[in-house]
Amino acid sequence: MKENERVTLVLVDTCAFRDVNSDFLGITRELLPSFFSTINEKGIVLLTHPILDNEIRKHIEDSGLYKNYQALIYQLVKTNDTLKYFELNNEELFSNIKELDIKERLFETYKEYYRNAIHLEYGDPADVFSLYFNGEPPFAPSGNKKNEFPDAFVFNGAKKYLENHPNDILLVVSKDKDWISAFNGIENTVISASVSEALTKISSIDSILSSEMLDEIFRGAYDEILSDAKFHVESECFELEDYETFNELEIVSVEVDSVSDSFTPLKITRDSILISTDITVKVSGYAEVFDEDNSIWDSVDQEYIYMTYADVYFTDAEVNVECEILISFDFDSPEDTAEVVRLKLLNQGNIFINCRNATVTQIDDDEIALRVLREDKGYPRRNK
């Protein structure tokens, strides 16, 4: 789809929501709230179907948000006596946590986004069974075709709607091959494989900013993005991905090497843009790690009978961290006035350092003495 082509309707497959953790609330990232906000700002109408509504409710239980919440409840119950002993049991807080129905909150937010959506009819069963017996999409030529009946009713309902509204253009968001095969045969339909890709397309439709202006704003804010990214990264904790650390991981230096210009616009207005992109960070440091080569393994008892450890120093280990950046600007002079309003790192927990392309050396006694020098010069130290 070229820039400025029309889209008037959006239909999202449940797999596209599942791929972004069904985070309708924007707890960990603003992708879905931005997606629905942009659709609303553009005057685009959402399509849905009773089958999709039921599938969304079901798949929320598969999301990491729901599973992590359930794990938190389990740990609170499991550690209750310990928390009481150390007087850390905030009964009011724990009660509020246990009463929170995160599944229902996510689903209610989903329904609010779809409050003004067009609800498709179930479709004609005769048409659906005709597709089934003739092996036509969305029924796969092979495999268990009966599993495709829910999709077939959604497809049939959307097809009937477009037949009655020939001026509409439908954007289908799905990576499901059967969905793609089915909707490719319908006129006035375009397809995106993901919510992120769909958001990029929607943002470009009749946008007040051209792609050239977006690039100008990014260039204008680039140096400030580097500076803000370094500030945030230096506040994070790191962990070695390639080694089993024994003692503290010491970080000597953290440098933001670059910011990817392949960004995804999440929200565009006349005076600000919210984008998602990656920053590349180069990290140097040292740690005491388990030395497997010089340890002795007992193959009978399946355990180490002698374990040794080694000091290693790594230089310029690369880390890619996804982030969201809000940039403000003056519409008449976007590149010269671009400023970073907010930068948010999207890592969950420690940032993992990949040493595969880094310079890794053993630290001898002379190098150990350099640690004091580095610390005296004020280099940051960071625990795992």
Side-chain angles (χ1 to χ4, degrees):
M1 184 176 69
K2 296 179 180 179
E3 190 172 28
N4 297 325
E5 281 191 2
R6 287 194 315 130
V7 166
T8 63
L9 306 168
V10 175
L11 178 65
V12 185
D13 188 4
T14 52
C15 69
F17 287 141
R18 189 172 62 242
D19 286 346
V20 291
N21 213 20
S22 299
D23 190 2
F24 299 106
L25 289 166
I27 295 173
T28 58
R29 61 190 327 192
E30 296 184 32
L31 178 58
L32 284 182
S34 296
F35 174 68
F36 289 112
S37 174
T38 304
I39 286 174
N40 184 58
E41 290 171 2
K42 298 288 184 180
I44 297 171
V45 178
L46 289 162
L47 292 188
T48 189
H49 192 282
I51 288 175
L52 296 178
D53 292 339
N54 290 325
E55 287 183 344
I56 289 294
R57 179 185 284 273
K58 176 182 177 182
H59 287 307
I60 285 175
E61 293 185 359
D62 298 325
S63 71
L65 291 173
Y66 179 78
K67 290 181 178 178
N68 289 342
Y69 172 73
Q70 293 297 105
L72 172 61
I73 297 296
Y74 173 77
Q75 289 298 329
L76 287 177
V77 173
K78 185 178 179 181
T79 60
N80 185 57
D81 290 340
T82 302
L83 294 173
K84 283 184 177 179
Y85 180 85
F86 289 104
E87 298 181 351
L88 296 174
N89 55 320
N90 187 325
E91 296 294 345
E92 182 179 356
L93 173 61
F94 293 173
S95 177
N96 290 336
I97 292 174
K98 293 174 183 177
E99 290 176 2
L100 173 64
D101 189 342
I102 192 168
K103 175 182 176 182
E104 193 60 29
R105 290 284 296 275
L106 289 168
F107 188 66
E108 287 297 325
T109 305
Y110 159 79
K111 289 197 299 183
E112 181 61 25
Y113 287 136
Y114 277 81
R115 181 165 52 89
N116 298 318
I118 294 172
H119 292 261
L120 298 171
E121 298 180 358
Y122 262 96
D124 188 344
D127 291 341
V128 173
F129 275 98
S130 175
L131 295 173
Y132 171 71
F133 287 117
N134 291 318
E136 298 178 18
F139 292 103
S142 59
N144 188 355
K145 296 191 293 183
K146 294 181 180 179
N147 290 338
E148 307 303 330
F149 268 103
D151 291 345
F153 277 101
V154 175
F155 165 72
N156 186 250
K159 180 181 178 183
K160 292 292 185 183
Y161 185 89
L162 289 176
E163 289 174 354
N164 294 324
H165 301 83
N167 290 328
D168 275 307
I169 307 294
L170 174 64
L171 172 61
V172 177
V173 186
S174 178
K175 66 178 182 181
D176 186 290
K177 293 181 180 179
D178 296 323
W179 270 56
I180 295 172
S181 178
F183 281 101
N184 269 336
I186 302 181
E187 292 184 3
N188 295 346
T189 302
V190 292
I191 298 174
S192 288
S194 67
V195 172
S196 178
E197 181 182 315
L199 180 55
T200 300
K201 290 183 177 181
I202 293 170
S203 296
S204 71
I205 299 167
D206 293 329
S207 174
I208 56 175
L209 299 178
S210 66
S211 59
E212 290 80 8
M213 292 177 72
L214 286 171
D215 289 338
E216 287 178 4
I217 294 167
F218 180 78
R219 289 197 302 269
Y222 188 85
D223 289 343
E224 190 177 358
I225 293 173
L226 285 175
S227 175
D228 281 19
K230 181 175 181 180
F231 173 80
H232 285 284
V233 168
E234 286 183 343
S235 301
E236 294 292 324
C237 292
F238 293 83
E239 187 171 341
L240 285 180
E241 188 177 65
D242 308 296
Y243 297 95
E244 180 183 341
T245 54
F246 177 63
N247 282 331
E248 290 184 350
L249 167 64
E250 303 290 344
I251 301 300
V252 173
S253 66
V254 176
E255 295 294 333
V256 178
D257 184 65
S258 61
V259 182
S260 173
D261 58 4
S262 298
F263 56 85
T264 299
L266 302 179
K267 187 176 182 180
I268 297 175
T269 70
R270 188 177 177 83
D271 57 10
S272 69
I273 60 171
L274 178 66
I275 64 173
S276 174
T277 190
D278 291 330
I279 61 173
T280 300
V281 181
K282 289 192 174 181
V283 185
S284 298
Y286 50 85
E288 186 175 41
V289 301
F290 174 59
D291 187 352
E292 183 178 1
D293 292 338
N294 293 310
S295 299
I296 301 175
W297 173 258
D298 189 332
S299 59
V300 177
D301 293 335
Q302 294 292 298
E303 63 180 7
Y304 284 100
I305 59 176
Y306 178 73
M307 300 175 67
T308 62
Y309 299 87
D311 286 324
V312 296
Y313 180 72
F314 54 92
T315 306
D316 290 338
E318 287 195 356
V319 179
N320 288 323
V321 184
E322 189 177 3
C323 63
E324 291 178 345
I325 309 167
L326 179 63
I327 305 173
S328 66
F329 59 92
D330 186 307
F331 191 82
D332 295 324
S333 182
E335 183 170 1
D336 295 334
T337 58
E339 294 182 353
V340 176
V341 177
R342 183 180 72 250
L343 187 148
K344 178 183 179 182
L345 302 181
L346 300 179
N347 57 294
Q348 298 294 305
N350 294 347
I351 296 177
F352 284 88
I353 302 171
N354 186 334
C355 290
R356 284 189 286 275
N357 295 321
T359 301
V360 181
T361 58
Q362 297 285 334
I363 303 177
D364 58 26
D365 291 339
D366 291 334
E367 287 176 309
I368 291 174
L370 291 177
R371 295 185 184 182
V372 177
L373 274 176
R374 295 190 183 98
E375 292 168 3
D376 287 343
K377 289 183 178 180
Y379 285 112
R381 294 186 55 178
R382 207 165 281 101
N383 293 336
K384 172 181 172 182

